[in-house]
Amino acid sequence: MPDLLANLNDRQLAAVTLPPQHALILAGAGSGKTRVLTTRIAWLIQTGQLSPAGVLAVTFTNKAAREMTARLSAMLPINPRGMWIGTFHGLCNRLLRAHHRDAALPQSFQILDSADQLAAIKRLLKASNVDDEKYPPRNLQHFINGSKEAGLRAKDVDVTDDYSRRFAELYAAYDVQCQREGVVDFAELLLRSYELLERHTLLRDHYRARFAHILIDEFQDTNVLQYKWIKQLAGPASSVLAVGDDDQSIYAFRGANVGNMAAFEREFRVSNLIKLEQNYRSHAHILECANQLIRRNGSRLGKELWTDAGAGEPVRVFEAVSDGQEAQWLIEEARSLIAEGWMRNDMAILYRSNAQSRVLEHALFSAGIPYRVYGGLRFFERAEVKHALAYLRLMENPADDTAFLRVVNFPARGIGARSVEQLQDAARAADSSLYAATAVLKTGAASGKMLGFVGLIERLRTETRSMTLPEAVEHVVERSGLIMHYQTDKEGQDRIENLRELVNAAAGFLSEQGVGQDVPANLGVASNAVPEAPATTETPSARPPMVAAPESLFDLSSANAGSQTASVGDGVDDGVVDGNAFIQTTPLASFLAHASLESGDNQAGEGTDAMQLMTVHAAKGLEFDAVFITGLEEGLFPHENSAQEVAGLEEERRLMYVAITRARKRLYLSFSQTRMLHGQTRYNVRSRFLEELPEDNLKWLTPKAGALRPSWGGHGGQGGYGAYGERASGSAGQGGSRHALEAPPPPPWAANDARVAARFDRGLAWRIGQTVAHAKFGEGVILGIEGSGSDARVQVNFGRQGVKWLALSVARLEAVN
DNA sequence: TCGGTTCAGAGTATT
DNA sequence: TCTGAACCGA
């Protein structure tokens, strides 16, 4: 047996071999966090202190869960499937499937992703005749999710005025609608299983006794509800190990509550706080920058990274004239790295916002450098894939109105908005699903077409009955008419490819689950083990409502005392319920859940050696030999929407900290004096974060201009803007860049720069782009000029002081340079 | 039901 | 500048 503890440093060793008590591990970037987490589990099992079934390990992303599982199987000679390792949502799904009756859900409840949820909300607003101008669907969605993530049902929400009262009412109506349709949104997965555990004490006690060790990754990213969920599952005999890094908390905007770390320390009386501060990733110059920067944040738990890997190279800083020039410089730099043998895969370009990628992509494309952009549409989010899934969902759960509406007329079968509205009215009157309401519709051509659609779904269900999951998916993709529809579409080839890929995904899913490929998609694998078989009613009219009436919606408690005992006894201990959630339901249902919970990779081409482009957020958790952090400008990074408040600014600073700590060997920071944003050229001041880095660890590739002042000052003519060659040779002269650029041909951005330059000279005393000084606000750059004479006003970007309009007759401005 | 036009808005994002 | 959504006419 391999020695698990070999090569751990003292702190890591201490964390891995902690006694069974609650503990908080403050794990700095690159400090071997995942290794500690997995080795801890392996060590506990290997030393006989813990059985695999006693493990609950929670992550945020499927990727992290997969990595943990993979590392564990490499360390231990056991099948990690017996452990509960997964995302919060994945584990909640598992819990709810296993105890669906106690949770008042149909066994094959469907999961709404954010887009589905928004569609459901829009439908609700329309049905309730709500003015969606006054109550925008997106706001309501935000409100609902925010409330749920705080652990609040509609009745618990603080109502302060008519407006919020209406929101709360709509929240309640939305929950009723979801319940009627047998669907749950992401937040509901969490909240529902939280309530399940809260109300069913037997169930809760069972799991509390079972999970001897609970481990949570990225604890700084947990929201209030997730923390409550953990508290629900942690019993008197459980040990909770929370691993996180408050300095890498960058998701407050989506509900993460760093305060959970301090709360955990207090509420669990944590006596074991271990800091992992030795960094195995970056050279010292890079770490020094990270440390110095993050020290400016208040209210940290406190941590300083160190390395014994040596100083390495200083961090290079480049000032560009335009975003185009920034991109061009970056390409030259990347090219020389590639020439030196660096892998493109090991080089990343980071930016604060997605909009910045365009210029970079354009330049990379023109230069013929392969690149890969992270983000964007994921596989299961593609329209054609969602269409196919909607057919499958409808087969599984006819009450799913969201799925119904998505495909009732796709491919087009002559069912227009009018017919759908009629159907919706009928459904509302009968308090039934749209699917069931088709039987109620008596008259009109609409009725016939609707019945035809329902007939199609019924047929698909019957025809696929004895097929395996991939066969069934293929059958549906074909017979729904989707393939044929896309064949006539001239851009449909890719979509057809994706539909074929969906069939592969289904096959891959089966083998991942370790289930034979010959199991019928529609049949419960172990349906005998489940008290009630899935509903198999044939006709829509005869199909009973999927779930209990809305009145009983949140009555998860007393009435079920009997079944509570039963479900614990039923399955938990003989492994049925605690096994893979797949076992309790049909392959199709679990595949659909899988599709919702794991949106899939966003792009192919992972194998190719390409430069990696992504936002700083997306880079969290990754590392690269060389990293370019671009667009380090006030207003962009830190972003103008965040820089006004201390909390916002500190999160931006943590974001910068995350960005810096991605780099192993070489780090480049760049900013540009001008940047195209929203179709307009913006004049920017360099980011304050650059001032916050220790000068000793930096190497300026361009001369460092005075504080926060662009260096092009008052030169208005075009000459100043062909300055790239000038500038670059200057930096080479300073011994800066290794590959001096010698008077290149007019670069592609020159034209734009010339336009920019032309705008400077308006014959006024002040020019756009000019640097000025103000007694109170300091130095800034003129962004715009309005009016004339005594009415003349100028708009000035004072960097951290913000953008101000100043009347020239009042404000005393001085030209700088 | 479709295709075109018009308009507003534009940050980061996992499940 | 670019995108997505809403709207209108055929």
Side-chain angles (χ1 to χ4, degrees):
Chain A
M1 200 167 282
D3 184 3
L4 294 172
L5 306 181
N7 301 322
L8 292 174
N9 69 36
D10 287 354
R11 300 274 188 87
Q12 291 174 328
L13 184 66
V16 165
T17 59
L18 276 171
Q21 294 163 357
H22 304 315
L24 178 60
I25 311 290
L26 265 185
S31 63
K33 174 196 70 171
T34 310
R35 181 162 181 226
V36 165
L37 216 40
T38 49
T39 312
R40 166 79 172 163
I41 297 172
W43 179 79
L44 286 168
I45 291 173
Q46 201 184 56
T47 54
Q49 301 180 61
L50 175 65
S51 84
V55 175
L56 177 68
V58 201
T59 64
F60 276 86
T61 64
N62 292 297
K63 196 179 161 197
R66 272 196 303 271
E67 174 163 1
M68 205 182 280
T69 310
R71 288 215 205 178
L72 272 169
S73 16
M75 277 189 252
L76 287 171
I78 56 161
N79 183 350
R81 196 160 285 152
M83 300 180 235
W84 277 49
I85 300 177
T87 62
F88 278 101
H89 295 86
L91 295 171
C92 286
N93 176 49
R94 192 164 170 173
L95 212 49
L96 292 176
R97 299 274 172 202
H99 306 286
H100 64 97
R101 280 174 306 152
D102 289 334
L105 284 171
Q107 183 175 33
S108 61
F109 66 83
Q110 307 289 310
I111 301 166
L112 300 183
D113 67 18
S114 312
D116 295 334
Q117 184 190 32
L118 188 61
I121 287 172
K122 284 180 179 168
R123 189 150 43 79
L124 173 79
L125 292 181
K126 209 165 208 174
S128 334
N129 279 318
V130 175
D131 179 2
D132 60 3
E133 298 248 311
K134 194 170 173 201
Y135 301 95
R138 283 193 178 281
N139 293 6
L140 183 56
Q141 182 180 33
H142 188 77
F143 174 83
I144 290 172
N145 291 339
S147 302
K148 287 188 179 182
E149 281 162 14
L152 303 174
R153 286 289 176 193
K155 61 177 168 49
D156 308 317
V157 171
D158 241 346
V159 181
T160 51
D161 51 12
D162 284 353
Y163 195 77
S164 57
R165 183 170 306 118
R166 192 82 184 100
F167 259 29
E169 285 168 14
L170 291 167
Y171 172 14
Y174 165 79
D175 267 356
V176 170
Q177 175 178 293
C178 287
Q179 186 69 14
R180 190 179 58 235
E181 297 175 7
V183 297
V184 299
D185 58 52
F186 286 132
E188 183 72 23
L189 283 170
L190 260 301
L191 184 51
R192 191 67 75 99
S193 53
Y194 170 77
E195 290 171 346
L196 172 74
L197 295 166
E198 184 185 38
R199 294 168 195 190
H200 293 257
T201 48
L202 281 176
L203 206 60
R204 179 182 64 206
D205 291 344
H206 167 81
Y207 282 107
R208 283 186 170 181
R210 176 186 165 149
F211 295 129
H213 283 269
I214 299 175
L215 305 97
I216 311 123
D217 193 18
E218 305 277 18
F219 193 69
Q220 78 282 354
D221 289 340
T222 49
N223 62 35
V224 169
L225 179 55
Q226 286 159 340
Y227 180 48
K228 286 175 81 167
W229 187 85
I230 297 283
K231 284 196 278 191
Q232 200 64 256
L233 278 168
S238 319
S239 305
V240 180
L241 181 81
V243 180
D245 181 358
D246 54 327
D247 290 334
Q248 292 190 71
S249 161
I250 56 173
Y251 285 113
F253 71 91
R254 68 170 197 211
N257 177 29
V258 212
N260 286 348
M261 295 186 85
F264 173 71
E265 204 180 347
R266 190 176 63 247
E267 294 173 1
F268 283 74
R269 302 179 195 220
V270 171
S271 52
N272 301 300
L273 180 117
I274 296 181
K275 296 182 183 179
L276 302 180
E277 298 176 295
Q278 181 172 4
N279 175 291
Y280 295 95
R281 181 183 296 159
S282 314
H283 287 147
H285 275 304
I286 295 169
L287 285 188
E288 205 43 46
C289 284
N291 281 331
Q292 290 291 328
L293 179 90
I294 203 65
R295 275 169 65 175
R296 298 195 177 241
N297 273 4
S299 67
R300 300 171 56 219
L301 295 175
K303 197 165 39 43
E304 190 127 328
L305 299 176
W306 62 275
T307 179
D308 57 14
E313 303 171 14
V315 174
R316 293 160 166 82
V317 186
F318 182 81
E319 173 175 8
V321 169
S322 67
D323 45 0
Q325 191 207 9
E326 180 188 42
Q328 204 56 40
W329 158 78
L330 195 152
I331 276 165
E332 299 299 337
E333 209 61 53
R335 272 191 174 139
S336 77
L337 289 178
I338 293 165
E340 286 172 31
W342 296 58
M343 295 294 288
R344 286 187 287 263
N345 260 339
D346 280 328
M347 299 163 50
I349 305 176
L350 309 185
Y351 35 82
R352 174 67 240 268
S353 74
N354 286 303
Q356 289 166 253
S357 76
R358 264 194 45 241
V359 181
L360 297 164
E361 283 188 69
H362 179 75
L364 285 162
F365 185 83
S366 312
I369 299 177
Y371 65 91
R372 180 179 126 105
V373 186
Y374 281 65
L377 262 199
R378 319 269 213 71
F379 181 71
F380 288 113
E381 290 167 358
R382 294 174 180 281
E384 62 276 20
V385 174
K386 292 210 79 169
H387 282 130
L389 291 172
Y391 279 98
L392 294 163
R393 272 165 63 160
L394 223 37
M395 289 159 58
E396 189 70 23
N397 173 11
D400 188 338
D401 285 359
T402 304
F404 185 97
L405 289 172
R406 176 173 272 276
V407 289
V408 65
N409 194 38
F410 194 95
R413 43 178 75 88
I415 300 178
R418 196 58 169 283
S419 322
V420 171
E421 258 168 50
Q422 278 176 16
L423 183 65
Q424 283 175 313
D425 288 342
R428 212 168 305 137
D431 191 28
S432 75
S433 67
L434 295 172
Y435 195 92
T438 54
V440 184
L441 267 194
K442 305 176 240 349
T443 51
S447 163
K449 285 172 176 164
M450 288 291 184
L451 287 175
F453 174 66
V454 166
L456 170 65
I457 301 296
E458 296 294 321
R459 214 175 318 126
L460 290 174
R461 192 187 299 122
T462 315
E463 288 164 353
T464 55
R465 175 138 299 151
S466 57
M467 292 183 185
T468 67
L469 176 62
E471 283 167 358
V473 173
E474 183 165 29
H475 186 83
V476 168
V477 160
E478 295 280 354
R479 303 302 277 277
S480 60
L482 284 174
I483 293 274
M484 209 200 297
H485 174 265
Y486 287 122
Q487 270 165 354
T488 55
D489 191 315
K490 51 181 179 296
E491 283 157 27
Q493 249 354 83
D494 285 351
R495 295 185 187 273
I496 291 176
E497 284 290 300
N498 287 328
L499 290 175
R500 302 265 177 241
E501 191 51 42
L502 183 64
V503 178
N504 292 339
F509 174 73
L510 275 197
S511 54
E512 248 169 62
Q513 301 297 311
V515 170
Q517 303 277 327
D518 52 350
V519 177
N522 269 336
L523 288 184
V525 172
S527 52
N528 294 339
V530 181
E532 81 276 85
T536 51
T537 320
E538 293 302 321
T539 61
S541 48
R543 197 175 248 276
M546 293 298 290
V547 282
E551 300 86 81
S552 62
L553 180 51
F554 303 122
D555 182 16
L556 308 176
S557 48
S558 50
N560 291 335
S563 76
Q564 196 181 114
T565 326
S567 28
V568 173
D570 260 8
V572 173
D573 287 324
D574 61 25
V576 174
V577 171
D578 275 356
N580 198 296
F582 182 90
I583 304 296
Q584 300 122 40
T585 177
T586 69
L588 177 54
S590 9
F591 179 61
L592 291 173
H594 166 82
S596 304
L597 290 174
E598 175 148 17
S599 25
D601 286 325
N602 35 28
Q603 259 170 333
E606 217 161 314
T608 59
D609 183 24
M611 285 190 79
Q612 319 271 306
L613 271 69
M614 66 193 84
T615 63
V616 180
H617 281 92
K620 183 166 166 234
L622 305 177
E623 55 181 275
F624 307 91
D625 284 342
V627 169
F628 294 86
I629 307 175
T630 64
L632 282 167
E633 294 136 38
E634 283 295 307
L636 197 60
F637 198 179
H639 197 276
E640 54 199 349
N641 297 356
S642 302
Q644 313 310 321
E645 291 165 19
V646 175
L649 181 62
E650 294 204 342
E651 179 144 322
E652 294 285 313
R653 192 176 283 116
R654 290 192 291 271
L655 197 51
M656 180 67 183
Y657 175 80
V658 167
I660 292 173
T661 52
R662 298 309 96 196
R664 294 194 195 105
K665 300 176 186 161
R666 195 177 284 206
L667 178 60
Y668 294 94
L669 311 175
S670 65
F671 63 101
S672 171
Q673 295 160 10
T674 65
R675 184 174 297 276
M676 274 294 235
L677 201 64
H678 307 332
Q680 282 187 320
T681 304
R682 289 242 312 219
Y683 298 81
N684 291 317
V685 169
R686 72 171 179 248
S687 170
R688 72 191 74 185
F689 294 153
L690 283 164
E691 317 311 314
E692 296 176 2
L693 301 178
E695 207 56 52
D696 290 349
N697 302 289
L698 302 181
K699 175 160 106 183
W700 284 75
L701 302 180
T702 43
K704 184 181 181 185
L708 297 184
R709 181 170 58 77
S711 57
W712 36 263
H715 305 290
Q718 298 201 3
Y721 296 90
Y724 183 37
E726 219 176 278
R727 169 99 68 202
S729 55
S731 70
Q734 288 187 348
S737 171
R738 234 177 249 220
H739 36 280
L741 300 163
E742 289 150 310
W749 61 87
N752 182 50
D753 288 346
R755 275 198 300 279
V756 170
R759 297 237 294 271
F760 289 166
D761 197 1
R762 298 248 181 114
L764 289 163
W766 303 103
R767 285 184 299 270
I768 292 179
Q770 177 160 22
T771 303
V772 295
H774 182 274
K776 188 164 153 213
F777 303 128
E779 291 189 355
V781 188
I782 296 183
L783 302 182
I785 301 173
E786 265 185 20
S788 59
S790 60
D791 287 339
R793 305 189 310 143
V794 290
Q795 187 187 32
V796 185
N797 181 353
F798 286 106
R800 72 182 65 182
Q801 306 290 333
V803 175
K804 319 269 183 205
W805 277 102
L806 301 172
L808 284 172
S809 54
V810 179
R812 201 168 289 169
L813 290 179
E814 274 179 45
V816 177
N817 243 1

